[in-house]
Amino acid sequence: MTGYVHSFESFGTVDGPGIRFVVFMQGCPMRCKYCHNPDAWATGAGKAYEPAEVVKEALKYKNYIQSGGVTVSGGEPLIQISFVTELFRLLKKEGIHTALDASGITFNQSDENSVKLHGKMLDYTDLVLLDIKHIDPEKHRQITGYGNKNTLDFARFLSEKGVPLWIRHVLVPDLTDDDDSLYKLKDFISSLKTVQKVEVLPYHTMGEVKYEKLGIAYPLKGVKPPAKERVENARKILTI
């Protein structure tokens, strides 16, 4: 079994608890307007690894990540769900904490095989960092190209399975920061049983240069990061 990896980060501090080895998987079906990794979109690109090879890379930093662990991010890592499952299985054998940063877009509640695959992966997953782009399905589609049904169904699935959950929400002026939507998102989050933390991630423009290098028009040209007051407002609303 091989998986396509975009890159590694040796000492991650923002993708789960503690110091973490972060695996950025290659490939993503969504085209989020504020994505800062357009170079991770293409499937079949990146470098091919076997799960054991990634474990070997992570174990080089075992002394540093003992209080943290390994996070698999993307791209959208679960388009390579079998690879992620095997990687997490091997990491658990080494006693390493596993975290997944995903959107839930791959989860199909009405597809028995999809439910089975995601359930098996969760057997080896200690924490899920779930990105909820927008609580409104049409606005979610405008932002990503997809509705949010799979994401919200996956959140409920995680809650029912008892999987610890961090919710992530990127705050973009005039796109994801209106109070009405934030309160609706709060109501949804409050319905889940395993949420440990809600992270409001302020939009930034650091990925814009990547679009220029790839010859892709930047969707949010001219949009500035949110004001500090709006970030604090969102955090107050979404605090569980």
Side-chain angles (χ1 to χ4, degrees), residues 34-53:
Y34 50 73
C35 178
H36 59 277
N37 286 323
D39 46 335
W41 289 346
T43 57
K47 184 176 179 181
Y49 285 86
E50 293 181 1
E53 293 178 303

Side-chain angles (χ1 to χ4, degrees), residues 63-74:
N63 289 340
Y64 300 97
I65 65 173
Q66 281 180 339
S67 63
V70 172
T71 298
V72 174
S73 185

Side-chain angles (χ1 to χ4, degrees), residues 32-36 133 143 170 172 175-176 203 211 218 220:
C32 299
K33 290 184 181 298
Y34 50 73
C35 178
H36 59 277
K133 318 293 184 178
I143 293 168
V170 178
V172 186
L175 194 63
T176 67
Y203 161 75
Y211 286 79
Y218 188 61
L220 298 182

